Amino acid sequence: MLRKFPVIIYALLIIVPLLIVVLTSMKTMQQTFQNPLGVPDDGLVFENYAAIFEEQNMAGYFANSVIVTIFSVTFTLLFSSMIAFGITMLNNWLGNLLFTVFILGMMVPAQVSMIPLYSLVLDLGLTNSLVGLILVNISVTLPIAVFILTGFMRTLPKELIEAAVIDGAGNWKVFSRVIIPLSLPSMSAAAIFLFVIHWNDLLYPLLLVTEDDYVTLPLALLQFQGQYSTNYPMLFTGVIIASLPMVIAYVFLQRFFVAGITAGAMKG
């Protein structure tokens, strides 16, 4: 029992705040202040979930987040897999130099590049656009994806690549027919990781978006916070709606995520 005690404490630290968020999303403001941690005597309400779509452009914000996240994850994986393959195939000082450059890119805090990044996007005319958000997301998370995929591709048997080359396969065929199928577990793990980053991103929409038509979900949630008060029931309702895609994605892709994070350990 003593060995399970830390696990129980950790579970409570996760479950209790989650229950508070769920319960608060089904309360009115008055019920929240009268009974912030429990179930009110007059019962829970579910109008917040309908009201958040009726009073806010939540469907539009949700669609913007979906578009930005899907395109950002897709192109980041595409470019990073090609770069990781190139670094792996070079397998010399030049490949190590390129890999080091991307590693250094992970060390630059986002806050340091905010002003030059905004100036660049402004000069390109891509502020207040989903395309601008997608391009920024790709550039910011590309080093992380390259780091993950390069580490996995370096564990792949060199004999498979050599056999494909002997059979007459060019670099593109080796990449598309040998490397990509073998790297699917690692790419799935990277996809989930990137999905969480892009879906929850608040910094760059806050920096680059001022028009309501291009607002994403994390930025939309700030609308429920005022200078003097916060609409906690509506805010927590928005949090739950924004969290559902991540929960669904993890439920259906968890076996790929587990396979991806353990694949490197199972090699050689």
Side-chain angles (χ1 to χ4, degrees):
M1 183 63 185
L2 290 178
R3 286 182 292 181
K4 296 181 180 179
F5 185 74
V7 178
I8 295 173
I9 296 297
Y10 178 76
L12 290 175
L13 291 175
I14 300 297
I15 294 173
V16 171
L18 179 61
L19 288 176
I20 292 175
V21 171
V22 173
L23 288 175
T24 304
S25 71
M26 294 184 286
K27 296 178 182 178
T28 63
M29 281 286 288
Q30 182 179 357
Q31 290 174 334
T32 300
F33 288 109
Q34 288 178 346
N35 191 357
L37 300 179
V39 178
D41 296 333
D42 49 351
L44 299 172
V45 296
F46 297 91
E47 286 80 4
N48 291 335
Y49 289 91
I52 198 171
F53 284 95
E54 294 172 357
E55 299 174 4
Q56 304 287 335
N57 184 24
M58 194 57 61
Y61 305 149
F62 193 91
N64 290 339
S65 287
V66 169
I67 293 171
V68 170
T69 301
I70 289 178
F71 279 95
S72 298
V73 171
T74 301
F75 284 105
T76 301
L77 285 178
L78 176 63
F79 296 146
S80 62
S81 60
M82 291 180 177
I83 295 170
F85 173 67
I87 293 174
T88 304
M89 290 294 289
L90 284 174
N91 196 28
N92 55 22
W93 67 269
L94 180 58
N96 292 331
L97 177 62
L98 291 174
F99 185 66
T100 302
V101 169
F102 282 98
I103 295 299
L104 292 176
M106 297 173 56
M107 301 172 61
V108 179
Q111 292 78 6
V112 173
S113 60
M114 285 174 58
I115 295 177
L117 182 62
Y118 177 79
S119 299
L120 176 62
V121 175
L122 182 63
D123 291 339
L124 294 174
L126 293 177
T127 56
N128 287 313
S129 72
L130 299 184
V131 174
L133 285 177
I134 292 170
L135 292 177
V136 169
N137 284 341
I138 293 172
S139 63
V140 169
T141 56
L142 193 62
I144 302 174
V146 169
F147 174 75
I148 295 173
L149 296 180
T150 301
F152 178 80
M153 289 184 184
R154 282 177 170 175
T155 66
L156 296 177
K158 304 298 182 184
E159 293 79 6
L160 294 176
I161 300 176
E162 294 171 356
V165 172
I166 292 174
D167 290 339
N171 288 333
W172 177 251
K173 284 189 176 181
V174 172
F175 172 71
S176 59
R177 298 186 180 182
V178 178
I179 299 298
I180 292 299
L182 292 175
S183 302
L184 284 180
S186 180
M187 292 184 68
S188 299
I192 296 176
F193 186 64
L194 294 172
F195 179 87
V196 172
I197 293 176
H198 295 316
W199 185 264
N200 290 329
D201 180 43
L202 174 62
L203 175 62
Y204 297 112
L206 188 63
L207 180 67
L208 303 174
V209 174
T210 57
E211 296 181 6
D212 189 70
D213 291 340
Y214 306 103
V215 168
T216 57
L217 273 178
L219 185 57
L221 295 180
L222 293 181
Q223 298 178 8
F224 302 113
Q225 293 180 302
Q227 182 176 1
Y228 301 105
S229 64
T230 299
N231 191 338
Y232 288 106
M234 295 296 284
L235 175 61
F236 287 171
T237 301
V239 168
I240 291 176
I241 293 174
S243 302
L244 283 178
M246 290 187 293
V247 174
I248 294 173
Y250 183 77
V251 167
F252 285 99
L253 298 176
Q254 60 178 325
R255 66 186 185 94
F256 296 105
F257 180 75
V258 174
I261 62 178
T262 58
M266 299 300 290
K267 298 286 182 181

